[in-house]
């Protein structure tokens, strides 16, 4: 199994940028596709972005498309999510999640085996 620990969250102002990190430990990180999800207060957790094992297949949810970049460094066992032009509606706990190759849609939470504890992002207007 692998363990995931997110960092990089905080309180920022609207229009700022932020880079979230997810550090993995344990088994081979490169065996897992990775995604970011988020959960706003009182809302269901939702998909944000996906990257496959080698980083050549990437998807973004519409609300971050064009202002977000997901990336990974397999040698360092790290996953990143940069979000620019942050909006108050981006306020949420952000989670990284890992899954082995799977046929389910990348948005399917149950297809992910491992989850981090989350990092809080708060965007003030």
């Amino acid at each position: 199994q692998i363990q995931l620990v997110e960092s990089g969250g905080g309180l920022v102002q609207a229009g700022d940028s932020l880079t979230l990190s997810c550090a993995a430990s344990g088994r081979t990180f490169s065996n897992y596709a990775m995604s970011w999800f988020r959960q706003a207060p009182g809302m269901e957790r939702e998909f944000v972005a996906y990257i496959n094992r080698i980083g050549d297949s990437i998807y973004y949810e519409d609300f971050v498309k064009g202002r977000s970049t997901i990336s990974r460094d397999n040698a360092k066992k790290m996953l990143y999510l940069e979000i620019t032009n942050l909006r108050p509606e981006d306020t949420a706990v952000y989670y990284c999640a890992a899954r082995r190759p799977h046929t389910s849609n990348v948005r399917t939470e149950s297809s992910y085996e491992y989850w981090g504890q989350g990092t809080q992002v708060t965007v003030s207007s």
Side-chain angles (χ1 to χ4, degrees):
Q1 65 177 28
I2 64 173
Q3 293 77 43
L4 303 173
V5 179
E6 302 93 338
S7 62
L11 174 62
V12 297
Q13 292 188 331
D16 285 351
S17 300
L18 202 61
T19 297
L20 306 180
S21 300
C22 172
S25 60
R27 289 193 172 182
T28 307
F29 178 64
S30 59
N31 285 346
Y32 296 87
M34 301 295 296
S35 283
W36 288 96
F37 288 78
R38 72 184 188 184
Q39 187 168 22
M43 304 292 285
E44 297 285 321
R45 189 158 55 186
E46 60 183 354
F47 169 81
V48 178
Y50 163 92
I51 187 168
N52 72 346
R53 289 178 294 168
I54 59 173
D56 65 350
S57 180
I58 289 173
Y59 301 105
Y60 298 100
E61 194 59 270
D62 286 347
F63 53 71
V64 294
K65 196 174 294 182
R67 60 186 185 98
S68 184
T69 302
I70 187 171
S71 61
R72 66 189 296 162
D73 185 331
N74 286 342
K76 295 182 178 178
K77 297 186 178 181
M78 293 293 296
L79 173 73
Y80 305 98
L81 180 71
E82 179 188 21
I83 309 177
T84 62
N85 192 22
L86 282 156
R87 307 163 180 170
E89 52 265 38
D90 292 319
T91 294
V93 177
Y94 284 73
Y95 300 90
C96 60
R99 74 178 197 179
R100 280 175 275 203
H102 204 284
T103 57
S104 295
N105 187 289
V106 299
R107 293 170 177 80
T108 305
E109 290 186 35
S110 61
S111 69
Y112 291 84
E113 297 176 63
Y114 304 106
W115 293 80
Q117 292 301 304
T119 185
Q120 175 73 47
V121 173
T122 303
V123 185
S124 64
S125 57

